[in-house]
Amino acid sequence: MDIIVVSGRKRKFDEQTALQAAMEVFWAKGFVGASLAELTKCMKINKPSMYNTFGNKEALFIKATQYYIEHNLTSHSTALYEPNTPLHTRLKNYMMSIVRMQCSTEQPKGCYLVLCQSEVAGGDIPTDAAALLTEAEARPKLLLSELFRNDKEAILLGLHHNCAGNALSLYTALKGTAAMARSKVSSSDLEYVIDTMLTGMFSASEAHASSVQTIQ
Amino acid sequence: MDIIVVSGRKRKFDEQTALQAAMEVFWAKGFVGASLAELTKCMKINKPSMYNTFGNKEALFIKATQYYIEHNLTSHSTALYEPNTPLHTRLKNYMMSIVRMQCSTEQPKGCYLVLCQSEVAGGDIPTDAAALLTEAEARPKLLLSELFRNDKEAILLGLHHNCAGNALSLYTALKGTAAMARSKVSSSDLEYVIDTMLTGMFSASEAHASSVQTIQ
DNA sequence: TCTCAAATATACCATTGAGTACAATACAGG
DNA sequence: CCTGTATTGTACTCAATGGTATATTTGAGA
């Protein structure tokens, strides 16, 4: 079943290029903050082209979000499975890979998902888009959680006893760095933060026991 | 020089009450996301009243932000100076006091400043308001930094060697928890995150030395 | 070269955004 | 009980928003 090519005027723009441009606008401004005027200007197409290629603002946003996940999120996780590498190093590389992206001057600062997810709570994001954002946010948390559950070294260190908690700690740190990045804090400053969090996690078993005693 | 009372129709609403209502709208929606229609509806006044009491949207936002700082931010810091209390406990109480506020159902989720600061990067916030937000964000970081510099126990533990770094770590964690709170994560889940970060910080001197060796 | 579907450009629509003009109203001082 | 002043309610302005109708181009197939 081949694609039926029905003749007509040829498209002047590349869909992927336009999508990337749209993604960067959403990344900088959020869903609500990004206007169609600015979107189409950056995409270098006009509104009717946008509407009959992508559907509407929400559909464009969903495709842009998927583009972000594929191109700017998935890549980092390879660091987690690097063979012959201590878990601490793999986690640190993973975290810093993300932090460096958050701080990069090549792209908008911070994290696309963190920014837009915070709009969801405001209630101004359409249902389907909100669902995608929520699902996308759950992914890295699950990835880390599974790592702690299955990784040999993690089990040896006892980190598998609280997979979810440890994953939440790291993910929360990354949300924090995303916010800091947006305020123009440098990735080298944030490296200290990541180190602190990892140190805390790796000395968890003893430390948490003592902290429980400390609190009232 | 007394206040000259020139007679006229009496104001029907209380300025502070209206301001608090406005603050909650900004807290939930951000500066751009909060429309005058919604603001005035929640403040239970109409637009002309709002304009001749507060000036305009930006002026209202600035007053609402100051209201937030006074009523929802300053109070937490007393925990930092509680006498006869170990530093670890004081920090934990401080952090959890903020986290509980972020997760409270009595108010919008997350942190007013984190949400609005992220809009600043988008460029849609007027200059004066943006300056206030930036200044407000610097405050807790400075507070923590000074604590690490001057507190006897902090000095004993060597935490004064990197005041800024340690302050940044804690503040970044709080920005992270603010974002998580907005995604409806509970304060009890986030307590584990705070514990992890504090543990990391308190075992900093040794840990950071070893982590430097670990990375590449 | 004629045809016709698909893409473009321009102009438009309804709604909502921030901000205002103005008349009606309420209140203190004389 | 007037008079003047400040607040309120309604109705407006003007620009920007998401989304479309329509006419004009383009190019592959017959």
Side-chain angles (χ1 to χ4, degrees):
Chain A
M1 202 162 127
D2 277 338
I3 297 161
I4 298 158
V5 181
V6 185
S7 180
R9 185 170 173 175
K10 286 224 163 156
R11 188 166 278 171
K12 275 189 175 171
F13 63 94
D14 174 58
E15 194 172 317
Q16 291 300 303
T17 309
L19 199 53
Q20 187 185 343
M23 177 209 54
E24 293 195 359
V25 177
F26 284 127
W27 191 346
K29 301 273 189 165
F31 175 78
V32 187
S35 73
L36 274 176
E38 187 174 1
L39 281 165
T40 51
K41 185 186 159 199
C42 293
M43 296 167 85
K44 285 169 188 152
I45 63 179
N46 45 31
K47 283 200 274 179
S49 293
M50 170 340 228
Y51 274 86
N52 77 36
T53 306
F54 299 102
N56 61 10
K57 192 185 179 185
E58 179 182 5
L60 175 65
F61 178 75
I62 287 176
K63 291 204 177 79
T65 305
Q66 286 163 340
Y67 187 98
Y68 173 83
I69 293 170
E70 268 178 52
H71 291 79
N72 297 72
L73 223 62
T74 315
S75 60
H76 305 288
S77 56
T78 59
L80 289 176
Y81 309 108
E82 201 67 44
N84 306 321
T85 311
L87 180 62
H88 188 288
T89 307
R90 277 180 282 149
L91 286 171
K92 162 103 182 203
N93 288 344
Y94 171 72
M95 306 277 282
M96 283 310 296
S97 170
I98 294 175
V99 169
R100 271 189 295 270
M101 178 188 75
Q102 293 171 347
C103 297
S104 166
T105 52
E106 313 281 305
Q107 287 162 322
K109 302 280 189 177
C111 171
Y112 185 109
L113 297 179
V114 171
L115 176 66
C116 296
Q117 180 67 32
S118 86
E119 289 187 300
V120 171
D124 289 318
I125 298 211
T127 323
D128 287 358
L132 174 60
L133 286 170
T134 303
E135 190 260 327
E137 275 227 324
R139 245 187 258 192
K141 234 191 299 187
L142 212 68
L143 194 77
L144 288 167
S145 198
E146 286 305 304
L147 181 71
F148 290 128
R149 189 185 319 283
N150 300 318
D151 187 89
K152 267 187 265 179
E153 197 182 345
I155 295 170
L156 221 97
L157 292 163
L159 290 170
H160 65 305
H161 288 125
N162 194 352
C163 309
N166 290 323
L168 184 68
S169 294
L170 297 191
Y171 194 55
T172 303
L174 286 173
K175 282 209 176 194
T177 56
M180 299 308 286
R182 224 166 150 77
S183 302
K184 303 210 183 95
V185 175
S186 72
S187 65
S188 56
D189 282 354
L190 293 175
E191 182 168 2
Y192 186 83
V193 178
I194 298 296
D195 282 337
T196 305
M197 186 54 103
L198 284 176
T199 300
M201 211 186 64
F202 274 86
S203 54
S205 42
E206 320 98 66
H208 277 166
S210 79
S211 87
V212 168
Q213 292 169 349
T214 310
I215 308 145
Q216 35 162 314
Chain B
M1 200 164 128
D2 279 339
I3 297 161
I4 298 158
V5 181
V6 184
S7 182
R9 185 170 176 174
K10 287 224 164 155
R11 188 166 279 172
K12 275 188 174 174
F13 63 95
D14 174 58
E15 193 170 318
Q16 291 299 303
T17 310
L19 199 52
Q20 187 185 342
M23 179 210 50
E24 294 196 359
V25 176
F26 284 128
W27 191 346
K29 300 274 190 164
F31 175 78
V32 187
S35 73
L36 275 177
E38 187 174 1
L39 282 165
T40 51
K41 185 186 159 197
C42 293
M43 296 167 84
K44 285 167 188 154
I45 63 178
N46 44 31
K47 284 200 273 180
S49 294
M50 177 325 237
Y51 274 88
N52 79 34
T53 306
F54 299 102
N56 61 9
K57 191 183 179 184
E58 179 181 6
L60 175 65
F61 178 75
I62 287 176
K63 291 203 176 79
T65 305
Q66 285 164 339
Y67 187 99
Y68 174 84
I69 293 170
E70 269 178 52
H71 291 78
N72 298 73
L73 224 62
T74 315
S75 61
H76 305 288
S77 57
T78 57
L80 289 175
Y81 308 108
E82 202 66 43
N84 306 319
T85 311
L87 180 61
H88 188 287
T89 307
R90 278 180 282 148
L91 287 171
K92 163 102 181 200
N93 289 344
Y94 170 72
M95 305 278 281
M96 283 310 296
S97 169
I98 294 174
V99 169
R100 270 188 295 271
M101 180 189 73
Q102 293 170 348
C103 297
S104 166
T105 51
E106 312 281 306
Q107 289 163 320
K109 302 281 189 175
C111 171
Y112 185 109
L113 296 180
V114 170
L115 177 65
C116 296
Q117 180 67 32
S118 87
E119 289 185 301
V120 171
D124 289 318
I125 296 211
T127 323
D128 288 357
L132 173 60
L133 286 170
T134 303
E135 190 257 327
E137 275 229 322
R139 245 186 257 191
K141 233 191 303 188
L142 212 68
L143 194 77
L144 288 168
S145 199
E146 286 306 305
L147 181 72
F148 290 127
R149 187 184 321 282
N150 300 318
D151 186 87
K152 267 187 263 177
E153 197 182 343
I155 295 169
L156 221 97
L157 292 163
L159 290 170
H160 64 305
H161 288 127
N162 193 352
C163 307
N166 290 324
L168 184 68
S169 294
L170 297 191
Y171 194 56
T172 304
L174 287 173
K175 284 211 175 194
T177 56
M180 298 309 285
R182 224 168 150 77
S183 304
K184 304 211 182 92
V185 175
S186 73
S187 65
S188 56
D189 282 354
L190 293 175
E191 182 170 359
Y192 186 82
V193 177
I194 298 296
D195 281 337
T196 305
M197 186 55 103
L198 284 175
T199 300
M201 211 186 64
F202 275 85
S203 54
S205 40
E206 321 99 64
H208 278 163
S210 79
S211 88
V212 169
Q213 292 169 351
T214 311
I215 309 144
Q216 39 159 316

